[in-house]
Amino acid sequence: MATFNIRLGLDDSSIPNRSATRQTIARIDADVVGLQEVNSSDLTNDQLDEFASELGYPHVFVPVTALDTTSRVVF
């Protein structure tokens, strides 16, 4: 299991280099990845599912509770 602090969100406009982020997570090659500080907006526009799919992760788990109103930890 690995964790990665996304902080800025998953959409292309928020991550300066989404490709580099994807490559870093892929290089770690963890069975489970926890993403910290995922923007709540990423949960409503399929960005999280798309990002997971790009990395070959077939499942996404989003806990019900949030750290605050705009930031989540997801697996």
Side-chain angles (χ1 to χ4, degrees), residues 10 18 47-60:
L10 294 170
R18 182 175 175 159
Q47 291 294 324
L48 181 61
D49 290 329
E50 181 181 303
F51 193 68
S53 178
E54 290 171 357
L55 288 162
Y57 291 102
H59 305 288
V60 175

Side-chain angles (χ1 to χ4, degrees), residues 5-75:
N5 191 329
I6 288 292
R7 191 180 78 144
L8 298 175
L10 294 170
D11 64 0
D12 289 333
S13 63
S14 295
I15 292 180
N17 190 341
R18 182 175 175 159
S19 178
T21 301
R22 187 174 49 246
Q23 289 172 359
T24 299
I25 293 172
R27 187 174 62 243
I28 294 168
D29 194 29
D31 292 329
V32 176
V33 175
L35 299 177
Q36 300 164 256
E37 296 190 64
V38 173
N39 290 332
S40 292
S41 63
D42 292 326
L43 304 176
T44 58
N45 61 14
D46 296 328
Q47 291 294 324
L48 181 61
D49 290 329
E50 181 181 303
F51 193 68
S53 178
E54 290 171 357
L55 288 162
Y57 291 102
H59 305 288
V60 175
F61 175 71
V62 181
V64 177
T65 57
L67 296 175
D68 58 40
T69 58
T70 61
S71 178
R72 296 283 185 103
V73 173
V74 299
F75 301 91

